[in-house]
Amino acid sequence: MGTDELTPSSPTNTHSGYEKWVRRLYATNMFHPVKLGLTNMRKLHQLLGNPMDDPDRVVVHVAGTNGKGSVCLKIANALQLQSSNKVGLFCSPHVSSFRERMQVNGEMITEEEVVELLPHIYDLCIQHDIPATFFEITTALAFSFYAKRGANVVVLETGLGGRLDATNVINNPALTVITSIGLEHTRILGDTIELIAREKGGIIKPGRPVLVGPHCPHEVLQQCAKEKGGGPYYVPSLVFGTLQDFAFKDKSDEEEIMDYDLENQHIAKASLVLLKKSHPSIMADLTTEIIDAGTSVRPPCRFEQIQSGDTTVILDVAHNPPAMEYLVRKLETTYPDSSFRFVAGMSSDKDLKQCASALLSVVNRDVSRIHLVEAAHPRAARLEAILDAETHLKAGAHYDLDDRSITRQVDNALSLAKENSDILVVCGSVFLMAEAREALGFQEPRDSEYIAEMAGAGIRHSQENFGNTIMDDSDDEEKK
């Protein structure tokens, strides 16, 4: 589970217990590849007492290529507006602090709770020879946290895919939600929409209802539901009584792309309507007004708009080509008469050329309006890789191979945006957002450099680095 110098109890380390334990957690994947499968997590969940299978705990399980984090937040936010509920939310990745990943009624797990609960999980892994990964241990920590806080409702976002994701050990979710399907992590999940849909559809459970967003291959997911004996199959329009056909809606065929936040809000509202029908005693106070108010919230860095003096700044974690193309359309329709300047950094496992081409289109190929950065994280794309993927950026884009810091380019871009009356857009990988937000003056919990250096700087096999991920179908129920 690690080396002696990474052991949190080391007497020579003067950092806090929280820093030491989270640093150790980040180091978990350094010494072996990530193996997607449920064997480890099933053992851990059982040893913890199967808290997510407690019949008194309502669990909503959400997967999808885009939108799953937003839908989870909207569902949880609406439910926690009811004073009778304690609502757990599990989401990833985080922006500034590891503690963002697990919350109850909007309150992050405390540093003290991490120090209290995480050692027990490591002890279980050692005692029972469980080679758990970063995400599996994090998921187990979240499950322990929800049980400790007495959460009666938990909204779980999958990490990668669905079928073999650590969150998929739950057996009786009140509702399964699949928000959208697009090409992502193709080496791991499959290189077609249909293959990826089957991986996401792996969270469907026997007899449990499933809600599927409009931009999904319904024929594939309906077949998944049939094979698994899933409960009723819904789309939002069916829930609201405005039924449309179940054909796969390709966004490229639409005249105008809709606001993803409105689509996510629609999915979240439909989820809440279904929960109110299935659990009337728990959701008795879930009024239309509460649903509307709760689902109107936007997650941080999802077209988040702030002001820096007279300059509008937009933060958006558009992390793959569909999301990047949507961001471009959203900018053009929201600010049709404005000019834009971008600070952009990308993840290495995305289509760098397509993402860069989307940015070039909105600046009319004026590369001087693009500032390239490289986050200190194992999944961050190298500047050289971005430049090689889209060679037009080499002639005029702002970047510095000697100083790749996000703060420098944010400061530079903000200054130029003010001079030219541009709207500044900081976009791309979530891994650049913590430093960008700090450079823009955000005051929020942020993990220390001691944690950050283990989370990413110079370590290429840490945290959610899926580059060496392999599939482990040996414990897949469908193959038994």
Side-chain angles (χ1 to χ4, degrees):
M1 302 300 292
T3 60
D4 289 342
E5 68 264 27
L6 300 176
T7 301
S9 58
S10 172
T12 61
N13 199 321
T14 59
H15 296 278
S16 71
Y18 169 75
E19 289 176 304
K20 289 181 280 189
W21 278 105
V22 175
R23 183 180 165 95
R24 175 178 178 176
L25 177 57
Y26 278 124
T28 301
N29 294 352
M30 288 178 63
F31 308 106
H32 53 79
V34 175
K35 183 181 290 187
L36 286 179
L38 300 180
T39 301
N40 293 338
M41 197 61 213
R42 283 198 179 114
K43 290 179 181 177
L44 270 177
H45 194 217
Q46 183 178 25
L47 291 167
L48 292 171
N50 295 313
M52 291 303 103
D53 288 335
D54 185 333
D56 295 326
R57 181 166 288 125
V58 176
V59 179
V60 181
H61 199 192
V62 183
T65 299
N66 289 312
K68 60 182 182 293
S70 294
V71 168
C72 284
L73 177 65
K74 291 174 185 295
I75 293 172
N77 194 57
L79 292 175
Q80 70 194 34
L81 291 178
Q82 298 179 273
S83 59
S84 59
N85 282 332
K86 287 187 177 181
V87 184
L89 172 64
F90 183 60
C91 54
S92 63
H94 62 267
V95 175
S96 298
S97 173
F98 170 79
R99 297 189 295 123
E100 297 168 23
R101 293 170 177 258
M102 52 204 78
Q103 308 172 21
V104 170
N105 283 3
E107 180 183 319
M108 295 184 293
I109 187 172
T110 66
E111 293 186 5
E112 292 75 17
E113 285 172 315
V114 172
V115 174
E116 173 191 350
L117 299 173
L118 193 53
H120 176 58
I121 295 168
Y122 270 98
D123 285 344
L124 291 176
C125 290
I126 294 170
Q127 292 169 15
H128 298 273
D129 193 23
I130 303 173
T133 66
F134 167 90
F135 192 73
E136 288 165 343
I137 294 173
T138 300
T139 303
L141 174 63
F143 289 177
S144 299
F145 169 60
Y146 303 137
K148 176 182 182 293
R149 288 281 189 101
N152 66 311
V153 182
V154 174
V155 185
L156 296 176
E157 178 189 355
T158 60
L160 175 65
R163 181 174 63 97
L164 298 177
D165 186 74
T167 60
N168 203 31
V169 295
I170 60 173
N171 291 312
N172 297 295
L175 178 67
T176 292
V177 182
I178 300 173
T179 59
S180 66
I181 302 294
L183 293 174
E184 63 163 352
H185 301 300
T186 53
R187 189 188 66 79
I188 303 167
L189 301 179
D191 57 4
T192 67
I193 292 291
E194 291 73 22
L195 287 172
I196 292 174
R198 292 197 68 85
E199 289 297 322
K200 307 285 187 185
I203 70 171
I204 297 172
K205 297 296 188 300
R208 312 312 296 171
V210 57
L211 173 69
V212 180
H215 297 114
C216 293
H218 293 288
E219 183 177 346
V220 176
L221 290 170
Q222 284 177 305
Q223 182 61 32
C224 284
K226 181 179 179 181
E227 292 171 359
K228 292 175 173 293
Y233 185 101
Y234 297 97
V235 292
S237 61
L238 177 60
V239 175
F240 295 119
T242 58
L243 182 62
Q244 301 170 7
D245 64 44
F246 282 50
F248 178 27
K249 296 182 180 181
D250 185 346
K251 293 184 289 297
S252 64
D253 293 336
E254 297 177 5
E255 291 185 5
E256 291 187 10
I257 190 167
M258 74 178 297
D259 187 332
Y260 273 2
D261 190 66
L262 292 178
E263 179 177 308
N264 294 334
Q265 187 174 16
H266 203 54
I267 295 171
K269 285 183 176 181
S271 301
L272 292 161
V273 169
L274 292 173
L275 288 171
K276 187 171 182 178
K277 288 180 179 179
S278 62
H279 295 77
S281 60
I282 299 176
M283 313 293 173
D285 300 328
L286 192 62
T287 64
T288 300
E289 291 74 20
I290 286 178
I291 291 176
D292 288 343
T295 58
S296 64
V297 65
R298 276 183 182 267
C301 301
R302 271 75 167 184
F303 211 81
E304 182 180 11
Q305 302 174 67
I306 64 169
Q307 288 298 127
S308 178
D310 295 331
T311 301
T312 297
V313 181
I314 296 171
L315 303 171
D316 195 288
V317 287
H319 63 289
N320 53 32
M324 192 69 78
E325 289 165 8
Y326 161 71
L327 171 62
V328 169
R329 294 285 295 275
K330 177 71 172 171
L331 289 168
E332 292 173 336
T333 56
T334 306
Y335 301 100
D337 301 317
S338 298
S339 59
F340 303 98
R341 182 171 297 275
F342 290 87
V343 174
M346 303 170 195
S347 296
S348 59
D349 56 350
K350 307 304 178 186
D351 188 327
L352 301 181
K353 181 175 179 58
Q354 195 169 344
C355 288
S357 296
L359 297 183
L360 285 170
S361 69
V362 78
V363 298
N364 296 317
R365 303 192 75 78
D366 180 359
V367 294
S368 68
R369 292 182 177 272
I370 296 177
H371 300 247
L372 298 175
V373 296
E374 178 184 323
H377 190 277
R379 285 179 63 191
R382 301 276 293 173
L383 287 177
E384 292 87 347
I386 299 172
L387 295 169
D388 288 342
E390 179 48 82
T391 56
H392 287 92
L393 294 171
K394 294 182 178 180
H398 299 266
Y399 60 91
D400 189 335
L401 297 178
D402 295 320
D403 181 358
R404 304 173 187 232
S405 71
I406 294 160
T407 298
R408 174 175 179 178
Q409 290 301 337
V410 167
D411 289 344
N412 184 23
L414 186 59
S415 176
L416 289 172
K418 290 179 178 179
E419 288 179 15
N420 296 281
S421 299
D422 298 330
I423 291 175
L424 177 59
V425 183
V426 182
C427 64
S429 169
V430 69
F431 307 121
L432 65 88
M433 288 299 173
E435 186 177 338
R437 290 167 74 87
E438 185 175 54
L440 291 166
F442 279 78
Q443 299 294 320
E444 57 192 357
R446 185 182 179 192
D447 286 337
S448 67
E449 289 300 320
Y450 182 68
I451 292 175
E453 68 181 6
M454 185 59 69
I459 298 172
R460 302 316 253 188
H461 298 288
S462 177
Q463 225 243 69
E464 289 146 324
N465 176 21
F466 299 124
N468 60 349
T469 299
I470 57 177
M471 302 286 271
D472 179 14
D473 293 341
S474 60
D475 64 341
D476 183 7
E477 292 292 339
E478 293 181 358
K479 300 195 175 190
K480 286 184 176 181

